[in-house]
Amino acid sequence: MHRKRSGVAALLLLLFPMLGWASEPPSPEDAPSAPPLEPAAREWHYWMRLEATTLALLPRAGVGDDEGFIQIEPTFILDGGPEFGFNLGAPIRFRMWGGNDGGALVRREDWDTLSDWGQLVRGLLLGSDDAPVGVWFGPLEEHKLLSGHLVRRYSNRTNPNYHPAGGIFTGTLGPLYTQAFASDVLGARLVGAEFSLDVEHIFFGQPEKGGRYTLALSAVHDWGRAGGHAPSMTLAHLDAMAIVVARSDLEAHLLAGWGGRPGEGSAWGAVVGGGVDYLTDRFNMRLRLEARRQHGGFRQGFFGADYELARFQAAGPDGVPLADADFPDGYSAFGEAIVEWDAVSYGGPNKHLNVSMGAEVFSWGRADVDGRVAVQLFERCLQVSLKGLAVGAGKPGARYLGAAEVRWRFLGGKLYAMGTGGTLLFPTAEGTLRPGAFASVGLGVDHVR
């Protein structure tokens, strides 16, 4: 199964800034082309960008203050090939009006904790999935911990006042493949690891293609101390996976697993399902379908797209943190689809069409859906991105968020205009979530060598 995340793709896909729910995949004009597979010598590429925009943070539902900023955002990227690269930069927001932080020139909430300084590192890559050890630092967007039954589609930047840098470690030692991550390398927050054992390797020696039959154990713990205090949580999961179809462009697998909350025998869950990966030069498709059972408050994908908000206040009428929320016993069906298409086979991560969507429907009437769609038109001069989240749909206290962005490149692609807007939720000192909205327009210029 295509389980290992490409380090280069991870770096390139996360080069761009985020404000809460505003984020966009990069375009080919923004990043250098991938170097040859076996270059005679290391090739270095760099990219510089400067954006100047206006940003308005607006009240919603009659709650909150109206704030305005001039946002200056410099970025510098150095690409040293498939095993080294970094991306530095962060938005600096100068206040124009509003706010209750004593008239500070720069928005205080962007830099008031140690974790916020992690936003200066948008990407640092050391090693790769093909190397015995790989390390990556930067924001986490739609992150999945290998099997994805504890951490799936997770973002560490959903809270608009919290800007941590996450870290991902991958390592291979004989039949053991390990992935570990931290959502905040400068604070005590979400940490986890999954250990995947290649069963075929153990009994028959190293196979030509590893990972066909695996047993995996994962565990995740949230310390709950950075980005606002919230209850801690620990979950664990055991998975078995077998690839039943293996071709150069197609893989299909079956899986089964069981998980729970250590120390609480009544909190457990089970899952069975499968998936298909179809990967070509121009078209990629990854499909997952699972049947799940939840009991005693445990659920698969606990650390998901909504987690950085739900850890303070879960969707629903009770208004309590997710760790304390009552989650009914029942069954669910989960599906995920990731589709990428590009008219030109240039080998990079940017596509004319990029769709990512996950949905889970529960037997007791609840539905959770999140997704992202990005398209590039008119010879990649126009890019439109949409993103949405619905948690607890069909029940009281459901949560909905959305964002949209448009970028138009002109003058040979080096200059671009952009506009973005959407909805946000701001955690408060009382542990509640204050609704808000944002809107931004501006210009940017970049240079690639």
Side-chain angles (χ1 to χ4, degrees), residues 15-18 49-51 71-76 87-94 110-111 116-122 157 163:
L15 296 181
F16 289 80
M18 305 172 195
R49 183 183 70 180
L50 180 65
E51 284 186 1
Q71 178 172 286
I72 305 298
E73 188 168 350
T75 301
F76 177 76
N87 173 9
L88 303 178
I92 304 173
R93 300 175 181 127
F94 298 96
D110 292 338
W111 305 97
D116 286 326
W117 291 86
Q119 67 184 303
L120 292 169
V121 180
R122 292 212 187 101
R157 299 285 184 90
H163 314 89

Side-chain angles (χ1 to χ4, degrees), residues 95-118:
R95 187 175 302 280
M96 296 177 60
W97 71 79
N100 54 7
D101 55 359
L105 178 63
V106 177
R107 186 172 186 266
R108 178 179 57 83
E109 293 86 348
D110 292 338
W111 305 97
D112 60 349
T113 68
L114 177 62
S115 295
D116 286 326
W117 291 86

Side-chain angles (χ1 to χ4, degrees), residues 389-404:
L389 169 71
V391 180
K395 292 294 181 179
R399 176 172 299 155
Y400 303 95
L401 290 172

Side-chain angles (χ1 to χ4, degrees), residues 202-234:
I202 293 177
F203 289 102
F204 303 103
Q206 184 172 359
E208 181 178 348
K209 185 174 183 180
R212 184 154 188 171
Y213 306 99
T214 61
L215 291 175
L217 176 65
S218 57
V220 179
H221 177 73
D222 188 355
W223 296 95
R225 298 178 185 175
H229 288 269
S232 63
M233 172 61 67
T234 303

Side-chain angles (χ1 to χ4, degrees), residues 4 34 59 66 84 90 129 271 299 301 303 305 340 361 364 398 412 433 447:
K4 297 185 180 181
D66 184 0
F84 177 77
D129 289 331
V271 57
R299 64 167 294 187
F303 306 101
E340 302 169 330
V361 180
W364 41 277
L433 298 175
H447 175 67

Side-chain angles (χ1 to χ4, degrees), residues 64-428:
D65 299 321
D66 184 0
E67 301 178 76
F69 303 88
I70 292 291
Q71 178 172 286
I72 305 298
E73 188 168 350
T75 301
F76 177 76
I77 297 172
L78 180 66
D79 179 6
E83 295 189 354
F84 177 77
F86 64 80
N87 173 9
L88 303 178
I92 304 173
R93 300 175 181 127
F94 298 96
R95 187 175 302 280
M96 296 177 60
W97 71 79
N100 54 7
D101 55 359
L105 178 63
V106 177
R107 186 172 186 266
R108 178 179 57 83
E109 293 86 348
D110 292 338
W111 305 97
D112 60 349
T113 68
L114 177 62
S115 295
D116 286 326
W117 291 86
Q119 67 184 303
L120 292 169
V121 180
R122 292 212 187 101
L124 173 60
L125 173 67
L126 301 171
S128 72
D129 289 331
D130 297 325
V133 175
V135 180
W136 187 88
F137 298 100
L140 304 180
E141 182 72 11
E142 296 187 0
H143 176 61
K144 183 185 76 168
L145 180 62
L146 283 188
S147 64
H149 290 136
L150 294 181
V151 181
R152 196 178 202 113
R153 305 185 68 83
Y154 166 79
S155 171
N156 65 349
R157 299 285 184 90
T158 312
N159 178 350
N161 290 334
Y162 179 48
H163 314 89
I168 299 173
F169 166 86
T170 61
T172 303
L173 180 62
L176 181 65
Y177 177 77
T178 302
Q179 185 186 96
F181 86 101
S183 69
D184 185 348
V185 296
L186 298 178
R189 273 303 317 282
L190 199 62
V191 294
E194 182 161 339
F195 304 93
S196 180
L197 195 63
D198 190 329
V199 177
E200 185 180 13
H201 190 161
I202 293 177
F203 289 102
F204 303 103
Q206 184 172 359
E208 181 178 348
K209 185 174 183 180
R212 184 154 188 171
Y213 306 99
T214 61
L215 291 175
L217 176 65
S218 57
V220 179
H221 177 73
D222 188 355
W223 296 95
R225 298 178 185 175
H229 288 269
S232 63
M233 172 61 67
T234 303
L235 298 176
H237 210 276
L238 178 67
D239 290 279
M241 187 273 294
I243 295 178
V244 294
V245 177
R247 299 194 333 225
S248 60
D249 60 347
L250 177 69
E251 286 187 358
H253 69 271
L254 300 175
L255 62 87
W258 182 91
R261 187 180 299 183
E264 298 188 24
S266 62
W268 58 270
V271 57
V272 294
V276 174
D277 293 346
Y278 179 69
L279 307 177
T280 66
D281 291 339
R282 298 187 181 184
F283 180 78
N284 297 333
M285 180 176 66
R286 296 177 174 88
L287 303 178
R288 302 290 183 267
L289 183 62
E290 298 177 356
R292 297 173 170 180
R293 172 75 164 100
Q294 301 89 24
H295 187 273
F298 175 86
R299 64 167 294 187
Q300 296 84 7
F302 186 91
F303 306 101
D306 181 54
Y307 181 72
E308 285 301 320
L309 300 174
R311 62 186 287 258
F312 299 106
Q313 183 178 350
D318 298 334
V320 298
L322 183 61
D324 301 329
D326 181 24
F327 199 83
D329 297 347
Y331 299 85
S332 70
F334 171 81
E336 183 180 47
I338 300 174
V339 177
E340 302 169 330
W341 171 80
D342 197 88
V344 180
S345 177
Y346 76 101
N350 315 287
K351 310 296 181 181
H352 281 109
L353 174 66
N354 193 313
V355 179
S356 177
M357 180 167 292
E360 188 169 12
V361 180
F362 297 87
S363 59
W364 41 277
R366 166 173 165 159
D368 296 345
V369 181
D370 77 285
R372 179 201 304 267
V373 178
V375 296
Q376 296 177 343
L377 305 169
F378 306 119
E379 297 182 347
R380 305 189 194 269
C381 290
L382 176 65
Q383 179 173 291
V384 180
S385 304
L386 302 173
K387 185 176 181 181
L389 169 71
V391 180
K395 292 294 181 179
R399 176 172 299 155
Y400 303 95
L401 290 172
E405 180 177 280
V406 177
R407 288 188 172 225
W408 178 264
R409 288 187 170 271
F410 50 94
L411 296 182
K414 294 189 178 295
L415 187 67
Y416 57 91
M418 61 174 291
T420 182
T423 55
L424 299 168
L425 288 171
F426 295 87
T428 67

